[in-house]
Structure formats: C-alpha cells, structure tokens
Amino acid sequence: MVLLTGSDAYVQLITVLVVFVLVLAVTALTTKWIANYQKKQGINRNIEVIETSKLGSNKWIQIVRVGESYKVIAVCKDTVTMLGEVSAEQLNIQEGKNMSLSFKELLDKAVKKAPDEADIHKETDTHEKS
C-alpha cells in the first residue's frame, strides 16, 4: 500500500471526481440519444396503444388503434388474445393531451402527493389533545 502526501491525495481525489463526472455525462448523453432514436422510430405508425388496465399479475387488457379501427386485446405473460372490436364513438379519447409525463413532472407529482412529516405530527398532536 502506497501512502500519499496531502497534496497527492487531493490531486488523486480531484482526478477520480473528474473521471466520475465524465462517465456520468457520457451515460446521460447516450441515454438521451437512445431515447430520441426510439421516439423517432415510433412516429407516424398505424398501431397505437390507447389505454391499458392491469387485471392481475402479468395480465392486462388494452385498447389498441390499428389503422382506423379499435381492438380490445388481453395481454398475458405468454399470449395475446383478441377480445373484440370497439367503435370510436364508444370510446372517451382525449385528443391533444400528451399522456406521457417527463421525469420532472412525475417527480413533482410524487413530491406534492407525499405529505410533509411535520404536518402528520401536527395532525396527530391535535387529535390527541382533543
């Protein structure tokens, strides 16, 4: 084991931090590039999942638009079964509303829904006093 002097230890620490930040930056850029690439692959397709509802473990029911028709399918672990067809008039489709949220929007929603611990303690204290 090699013992480093004070200045050598700081230089080594700074070097490791710089390399770590560079690896994080390359990872972030690569992830963003792959996400944009995959998003471009899905544009102007004839198949779109309109709505999904989980029925149980590894079981979902989905409404899928194929061309101009809407199909209802059951998706299981190993199978996909066509349940039927639904007309567009029977569906409540919200046009223009982007259903996918960014990570920041999801995080903001999660933070707003989580009650503050101080508020919880205040509520329990007021209930105990009355």
Side-chain angles (χ1 to χ4, degrees):
M1 180 176 193
V2 178
L3 295 176
L4 301 174
T5 62
S7 62
D8 289 340
Y10 287 122
V11 169
Q12 187 178 11
L13 176 66
I14 298 298
T15 304
V16 169
L17 286 175
V18 167
V19 169
F20 179 70
V21 168
L22 286 174
V23 169
L24 282 178
V26 169
T27 303
L29 291 173
T30 303
T31 303
K32 218 171 207 182
W33 178 76
I34 289 172
N36 285 334
Y37 175 77
Q38 288 179 342
K39 191 187 312 182
K40 289 177 186 175
Q41 295 298 317
I43 294 176
N44 295 328
R45 301 289 182 182
N46 290 312
I47 300 172
E48 177 185 12
V49 176
I50 302 297
E51 191 170 340
T52 302
S53 181
K54 187 168 185 163
L55 297 176
S57 178
N58 295 326
K59 295 177 184 172
W60 295 269
I61 187 168
Q62 294 183 335
I63 300 173
V64 181
R65 181 185 57 81
V66 180
E68 295 296 319
S69 64
Y70 294 92
K71 313 284 185 190
V72 180
I73 60 172
V75 180
C76 299
K77 182 179 178 183
D78 295 326
T79 62
V80 175
T81 306
M82 168 99 161
L83 299 177
E85 195 164 329
V86 179
S87 66
E89 294 82 31
Q90 293 175 317
L91 297 175
N92 182 12
I93 301 174
Q94 298 176 354
E95 295 292 333
K97 183 179 178 185
N98 189 0
M99 297 304 285
S100 62
L101 298 175
S102 69
F103 178 75
K104 183 178 181 337
E105 292 169 333
L106 287 172
L107 184 62
D108 289 342
K109 276 182 138 182
V111 169
K112 287 178 185 176
K113 285 185 179 179
D116 189 16
E117 283 188 32
D119 292 339
I120 293 172
H121 293 300
K122 286 179 187 175
E123 288 178 15
T124 56
D125 289 342
T126 55
H127 290 296
E128 288 174 1
K129 289 179 183 177
S130 22

